Each structure stands twice: as C-alpha cells, then as structure tokens.
Amino acid sequence: SYELTQPPSVSVSPGQTARITCSGDALPKEYAYWYQKKPGQAPVLVIYEDTERPSGIPERFSGSSSGTTFTLTISGVQAEDEADYYCESTDSSGTYVVFGGGTKLTVL
Amino acid sequence: EVQLVESGGGLVKPGGSLRLSCAASGFTFTSAWMTWVRQAPGRGLEWVGRVKSNTDGGTKDYAAPVKGRFTISRDDSKNMVYLQMDSLKNEDTAIYYCTTRIRIPDVWGKGTTVTVSS
C-alpha cells in the first residue's frame, strides 16, 4: 500500500524556522496537502495543492516540493504552532487517499 | 454557515455494528465528495473512505483495513452521508470525522467517538 513518510518529531525555538518533510513516490504527480491537528480539535488545512495557503492561515506557513519530497515550512514559529502536522496525498491511481504518520512540532 | 455534524458514535462490542451519520449544511451537497477520516487514541489521522458525488459516478472507495466491513452511503435528498460499520474490531476505536473538500478551506465536523470494547 502507498505510504507517505514524515519525521516523528521536530523541535524549534520560538522565532526559528521549522521544516517538516513528507516523502512519497506519487508526490510529483499528485498534490500534497498539510493539516495542523491539535488535541480535541478537528484538523485544520494549512497548505493545499503543494504550495497554496488557505485564507486565514498566517503567511509564516508555506509549502514547497522537490521530486518526491514535499516540505512544510513554518517561518518565525510561535508557541501556538505547537501541534501535530500531517501531510495528505493520493496514490498514483488517484483513488486512495493516504496520510503521513504525522510530525509532532514542539516549540521549545 | 457551512457545517458538518457527525452523530451515532458510542460503545459497541467486538463483532458488533454501528452506523454513523453526518449532516451537511451551507453548501451544495449534491456536488460534494464526502470522506470519512478517523484518529485512534494516540495514533495519526487515517483515511477511512469516500463517496463521490452522484454526478461524478457515486463511486465508493475504502481503505484496506475497513474494506468489506464498512459501507459509505449518501442521501442527497437529506444532505446526509453515512458510515455503516460491521464486524467491528478493537482497533476500530477512534474519533470519526466527516469531511469534504467542496471548497478551500475544506470542511470538517467535530467528530464522533466510537469505542469497540467487550
């Protein structure tokens, strides 16, 4: 089955830049989406179609891609950004959706 | 207001069944592909399955762990989508979310909790 690979954890100090990667063989063909998930809350879409930011999401959130790796970058991390982050995409058939295993972002 | 509201969660014994419902409002439901996502305790997000709009064929697709046990259906006359869960296992214990990407940002419900335990 198709898999998306994320690092389990990333730690940064406030004001620094956090980068979270997501690797998957189908990523050059299929779009990637990023979600922020906090305990007790529904997921929030922070990046869609690889690089687009929904309205209401701070400009410090950005997405980029290179080959089979997609990266979520949070510039000038704030304490409120501490959360789990998940990438989401589709397998090469375009049928089955898959989430990465999630990355816990800790703001030191 | 664009909204999804899940209901029907609860405690069920292994091997039992449960039907979750998701009520949609504030958008053109007939055009929406509706998806179920779950999160087990201490685990990550997991795609459960999706039903396309009837205008796009109404195709239903399921993740491997639930295929053959779970069934998604929709009632466009009521703006409702359902998740019928049969032959439930302990590992199906999770919060189940209903979601759609009819627009950006996408729409999520608050979730309903399913606990499978004897």
Side-chain angles (χ1 to χ4, degrees), chain B residues 32-110:
Chain B
W33 294 17
M34 301 301 298
T35 296
W36 288 94
V37 172
R38 69 184 180 182
Q39 185 174 32
R43 304 292 295 273
L45 298 176
E46 181 182 21
W47 183 78
V48 173
R50 173 196 60 221
V51 56
K52 295 182 180 179
S53 64
N54 284 323
T55 53
D56 288 324
T59 307
K60 301 163 190 178
D61 296 297
Y62 302 92
V66 308
K67 194 169 185 178
R69 300 188 298 121
F70 289 12
T71 303
I72 299 174
S73 61
R74 63 187 299 154
D75 185 338
D76 287 355
S77 68
K78 296 181 179 178
N79 285 6
M80 296 288 295
V81 62
Y82 306 98
L83 179 65
Q84 176 67 42
M85 304 185 294
D86 299 320
S87 303
L88 282 161
K89 305 176 181 180
N90 289 335
E91 52 264 40
D92 295 318
T93 294
I95 299 173
Y96 285 74
Y97 297 97
C98 173
T99 179
T100 182
R101 198 168 282 159
I102 187 69
R103 61 152 207 195
I104 293 295
D106 51 2
V107 187
W108 289 71
K110 295 187 187 312

Side-chain angles (χ1 to χ4, degrees), chain A residues 33 35 37 48 86 88 95, chain B residues 39 44 47 50 101 104 106:
Chain A
Y33 299 76
Y35 286 93
K37 178 70 169 70
Y48 68 100
Y86 295 89
E88 180 228 284
T95 301
Chain B
Q39 185 174 32
W47 183 78
R50 173 196 60 221
R101 198 168 282 159
I104 293 295
D106 51 2

Side-chain angles (χ1 to χ4, degrees), chain A residues 66 72 85 94 98:
Chain A
S66 178
L72 171 68
Y85 290 85
V98 62

